[in-house]
Structure formats: C-alpha cells, structure tokens
C-alpha cells in the first residue's frame, strides 16, 4: 500500500461549513482530523477530516471517495461515526462526521487509563469485529486499521473512524479483498495487544484473547467473534457497563472544546458552493444526498486548478441515536453471514456447544426485538418555509403524522423533487402520542432559481401509503 503523503503546508482555516475549528488536531492516514465546534454549548463537537490534497490528485480519486463515503453511510452502522457531510471548501475536501476521533485505543495504550481490564478489551474487540463483519458482508472494508482508528464514543463503545477510505484513497494496489484480509490481521493483532495489556497474564481472559487472535488467522473473523462471545463467563460481571471506557471517553471532551486561536486562511477563489454554510445537526442521524444543480444549468465557477464537479453531499433524516445505542448494546447479536470456514474434527464438540448457546441467544433476542403492531396512521401533513430561500439556504421541512395513540413503530420515507429519496426509515411512537413530528433539512447552493417539493410517505402493509407534500422556492443571483 502506498506511503501517506506529506501533510499540506497551507494553514487550516478558522472555520469549516460555518463552524469554528478547535485547536485540537490529530494526524490520520488520509489527512488531519480536527474538532469542529458545536452550533451551541449543549451540543458535542463534530469531527472534520481535511483530506490530503495529494491523495485526490489521481484521476477518479474524488469519485471513488464520494462513492466510498456514500456506501458506508447507507449502511448506517452503529460502529462507524455517522457521516454529516462531505464538501469542498477553499480548495480542500472535508469529511465531517458526528464526533472527532478522540479518545482512541492508541491513546489508552500509550497513556493508560484507570480501570481498563479484560472487560474493556472484550467490549472493544466485540464491537470492532461486529463492524468489520458488517462492512465485509456489504463488499466493503475498513483498510489500514490501527488502534489509532478505533475511537471511543461517549458511551464507551468502539467506533471505526476511517471506514472504506483506504479503498478510495489507498492507491491502485488497495483491492477490497486484500483490505479485508488486512482488516482481519489487524483485528487479530489488536486482540493480542489488548490481551497482553489489559488482562492479567496467565488468566482465563488472557488465554481467551490469544485464542481469538489465533482463530481469526486460521478460521476467520466470524469464528473469532463466536469464540469471544461464547466465553462471557471468563469476563468481569459488570463489563457491559463499560465504566472505565466511558470515563476515558469523557476525559477527551475538555481538550476538544478548547477554543482555537485565530487562524489566517489561505487565499482562494470562493464560489457560491465554497461559501461557508451552516451544518446544523438534526435530531436524527444523516443520509447522504446529491448536490442540487440549479436549472437551467448555470456552471459554477471552479476554484483554479480544480474540477467543476465539486464534492458536496448533504444530509437528511436517518437512524435516531437512541436506536443506535440499543443496537450497540446487543453484545451477543448474531454476526453477519460469511463464507463457510474450515472446521477441525477436534473442535466439533466445542462448536456444537457454541452453536447451542448462540441459538438460545437468538431466540431471546427474537422475543425481545420481534416486530410489534404499530399505531394506526390516520393522517399526514407537511409544511415548508413560506419565505423564499436565499443563496445557500436550508429549507426546514416538517411532517406531522397523526396516529390513534398506540405505541409502536411505523415506517416512512421522504421523496424530493430533485430525485433524491431517504430510503425507508422507522420511527417509534410512544403510547398516547397522537402526533409525531418528522423533519427534513434540504440545503440548496449555487446561483439560479429552484422550486423544491418534499413529499412524505407513510408506508402501510397491504395498502397504499398515506402521503402529503409541501413546496418552497429558492433564488440566488450568484
């Protein structure tokens, strides 16, 4: 795989997408990570990766990057920081995600943290294995996986920070198959490292992590995770609370929220698309959408030396954070299906026992998570801003679903007149909640006029969807 290019010598700007950069930064495999200030003090900071310009120079690199980011975002994996935006600003391409990569497992290994033990190691290994298996099942890979790319979420769960970027930016030798093999080898090495660092030598837990590492190399990642999850009895009783991991994640917030000193931005031609535009996070996670081109097509003035086809992806409704937290808590959730692995005769008894245990867990999870009858939806209405949007404006579209007040989930989707669809989303109504609000943020950039219509469909089994729509107008003289 190619050697990372030298980081850019141009200074970082004072803000990106209308938000201030903090003074914290971290060098990554594909660029430099920054903390992006929140819209108000009640929100956590975002993460912003300033991608090395040299990595985007080869033909097709931007298209590969856009496709990779979009593919990972569509999976909406709880083990990957939610993607907020991918944009070009002042000559740089920025990937903005829901949280900065701090603290990382690399930080914890280098500096240590009180209370980290076998349970902490098992949590990190299980959650990273789940995410890698899901990426591999979708034909993707993380690639270039190191402890510095395993990030702690505020609840102490482990996230993978640069999923699939190696596929887009790693060079011609970065095939998906080779990257998947590298993922497995990296996870096996992580199991060895955490076992040697956070587990007492000679204990059953230390032996467990060594067996997991060996199993990943011989039989694959799914078998290694089965080995891990079937041996919970060797781990501390309260390890699922992630007490030490939560404390380590909380300790990172102080340095991330320190204000940055003023910076001088590099001279650059600024177009309507490059102008800072607020990226206010919605109450729900995000789904990427294509950039709207005004009609009739008016070419945007490109930054000198760069393509006209800029990278700008916007966001809309996605998986609510509360549902992501519930998914992360499923320690014993079945792993995604993978190719059959070799079995040795001497392991048959152990595997039969593990299979029986997983079957029992699957039955319990099915009983807990099986679909329940949702509320009856009786009406849908949608409202959009009555005032005309100006350059770079965002339409706050609100849908209201009227129900009979029963608790349970219902499914819906947003359809936009620019051809973009949110995909099928799920919302759970509370008992007695007769009106449920659903929100869509639609940003339009660039010169021209545009008439946008947002249509909300509430999907019902065995009958036609209930739907409503609302429209707004946009005008920008350029």
């Amino acid at each position: 795989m190619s050697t990372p290019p030298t980081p850019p010598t141009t200074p970082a700007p004072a803000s990106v997408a209308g938000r201030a950069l903090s003074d914290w930064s971290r060098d990554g495999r594909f660029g430099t990570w920054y903390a992006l200030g929140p819209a108000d003090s009640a929100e956590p900071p975002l993460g912003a990766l300033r991608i090395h310009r040299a990595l985007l120079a080869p033909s097709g690199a931007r298209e590969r990057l856009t496709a990779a980011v979009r593919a990972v975002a569509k999976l909406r994996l709880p083990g990957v920081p939610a993607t907020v935006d991918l944009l070009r600003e002042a000559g740089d391409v920025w990937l903005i995600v829901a949280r900065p990569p701090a603290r990382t497992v690399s930080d914890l290994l280098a500096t240590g943290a009180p209370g980290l033990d076998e349970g902490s190691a098992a949590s990190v290994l299980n959650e990273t294995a789940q995410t890698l298996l899901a990426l591999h099942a979708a034909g993707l890979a993380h690639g270039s996986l190191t402890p510095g790319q395993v990030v702690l979420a505020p609840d102490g769960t482990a996230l993978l920070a640069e999923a699939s970027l190696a596929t887009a930016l790693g060079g011609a030798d970065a095939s998906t198959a080779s990257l998947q093999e590298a993922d497995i080898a990296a996870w096996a090495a992580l199991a060895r490292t955490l076992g040697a660092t956070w587990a007492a030598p000679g204990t059953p837990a230390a032996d467990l992590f060594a067996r997991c590492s060996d199993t990943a190399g011989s039989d694959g990642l799914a078998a290694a995770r089965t080995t891990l999850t079937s041996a919970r009895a060797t781990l501390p009783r309260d390890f699922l609370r992630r007490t030490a991991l939560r404390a380590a994640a909380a300790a990172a917030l102080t340095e991330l929220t320190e204000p940055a000193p003023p910076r001088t931005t590099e001279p650059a031609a600024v177009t309507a698309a490059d102008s800072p535009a607020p990226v206010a996070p919605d109450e729900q996670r995000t789904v990427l959408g294509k950039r709207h081109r005004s009609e009739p097509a008016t070419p945007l003035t490109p930054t000198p030396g760069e393509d006209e086809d800029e990278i700008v992806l916007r966001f809309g409704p996605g998986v609510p954070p509360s549902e992501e937290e519930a998914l992360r808590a499923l320690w014993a959730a079945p792993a995604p299906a993978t190719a059959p692995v070799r079995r040795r005769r001497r392991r048959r008894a152990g595997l039969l026992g593990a299979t029986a245990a997983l079957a029992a867990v699957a039955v319990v999870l099915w009983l807990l998570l099986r679909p329940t009858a949702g509320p009856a939806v009786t009406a849908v209405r949608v409202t959009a801003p009555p005032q005309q949007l100006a350059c770079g404006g965002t339409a706050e579209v609100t849908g209201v679903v009227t129900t009979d007040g029963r608790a349970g989930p219902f499914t819906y989707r947003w359809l936009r007149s620019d051809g973009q669809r949110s995909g099928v989303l799920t919302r759970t109504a509370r008992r007695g909640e007769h009106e449920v609000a659903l929100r869509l943020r639609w940003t339009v950039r660039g010169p021209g006029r545009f008439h946008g219509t947002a249509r909300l469909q509430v999907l019902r089994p065995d009958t036609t969807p209930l739907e409503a729509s609302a429209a707004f107008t946009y005008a920008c003289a350029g």
Side-chain angles (χ1 to χ4, degrees), residues 333-395:
T338 58
V341 297
R342 300 186 306 275
R343 304 296 183 192
R344 294 185 176 89
R345 205 176 277 274
R346 59 190 173 88
R347 294 182 179 175
R348 182 172 299 170
L351 290 178
L352 287 175
T355 302
L358 287 177
V361 169
V363 170
V364 172
L365 289 176
W366 180 82
L367 290 172
L368 291 174
L369 303 178
R370 60 183 171 179
T372 57
V377 177
T378 58
V380 180
R381 68 179 186 273
V382 178
T383 58
Q387 66 274 17
Q388 181 173 276
L389 297 184
C391 300
T394 298

Side-chain angles (χ1 to χ4, degrees), residues 65-74 76 82-87 95-96 285-291 312-318 416 420-423:
L65 173 64
T66 304
V69 171
R70 189 185 301 278
V72 173
K74 282 182 178 179
R76 296 193 290 237
T83 302
V84 174
D85 213 342
L86 177 66
L87 56 90
L95 173 63
I96 301 175
R285 294 294 186 238
T286 67
V287 176
L288 299 176
K290 288 183 181 176
R291 178 169 191 253
V312 180
L313 300 177
R314 292 192 315 278
F315 54 92
R416 302 187 337 193
Q420 300 306 305
R421 297 170 175 242
S422 68

Side-chain angles (χ1 to χ4, degrees), residues 237-298:
R237 277 185 158 185
D238 62 347
F239 80 99
L240 285 177
R241 296 180 183 176
R242 303 182 182 88
T243 303
L245 292 172
R246 287 175 185 267
L253 290 178
T254 301
E255 62 175 322
L256 294 180
T257 53
E258 291 292 331
R263 293 188 181 98
T264 302
T265 58
E266 59 183 295
V270 179
T271 70
D274 286 329
S275 303
V279 184
D282 199 279
E283 64 183 84
Q284 293 183 321
R285 294 294 186 238
T286 67
V287 176
L288 299 176
K290 288 183 181 176
R291 178 169 191 253
H292 165 67
R293 295 278 187 188
S294 57
E295 293 183 4
T298 304

Side-chain angles (χ1 to χ4, degrees), residues 422-442:
S422 68
V424 177
L425 307 172
T426 301
R427 182 68 177 269
T428 301
R430 298 186 295 271
R431 184 178 299 278
E433 187 178 23
H434 291 275
E435 290 193 342
V436 181
L438 307 171
R439 292 179 176 83
L440 172 70
R441 297 174 56 83
W442 186 345

Side-chain angles (χ1 to χ4, degrees), residues 39-180:
D40 59 59
S41 58
E43 296 176 357
L46 302 177
L49 175 62
R50 185 191 192 192
I51 296 174
H52 291 322
R53 293 186 181 183
L55 292 174
L56 298 168
S59 176
R62 296 190 179 198
E63 292 77 9
R64 290 192 299 272
L65 173 64
T66 304
V69 171
R70 189 185 301 278
V72 173
K74 282 182 178 179
L75 296 177
R76 296 193 290 237
L77 297 178
V80 175
T83 302
V84 174
D85 213 342
L86 177 66
L87 56 90
R88 190 183 77 178
E89 192 166 294
D92 282 309
V93 173
W94 296 82
L95 173 63
I96 301 175
V97 298
R99 57 177 53 90
R103 301 258 182 105
T104 68
V105 169
S106 181
D107 294 332
L108 303 182
L109 292 171
T111 62
L116 293 172
D117 59 7
E118 315 79 315
S120 304
S123 293
V124 170
L125 292 173
N126 177 60
E127 288 147 13
T128 52
Q130 280 182 305
T131 304
L132 290 174
L133 286 167
L135 288 170
H136 295 181
L140 304 173
H142 185 282
S144 190
L145 178 61
T146 68
Q149 294 163 326
V150 181
V151 184
L152 294 185
D155 65 354
T157 55
L159 312 178
L160 299 184
E162 297 180 356
S164 209
L165 295 189
T167 307
L169 304 173
D173 58 338
S175 69
T176 300
S178 64
L179 290 173
Q180 289 180 352

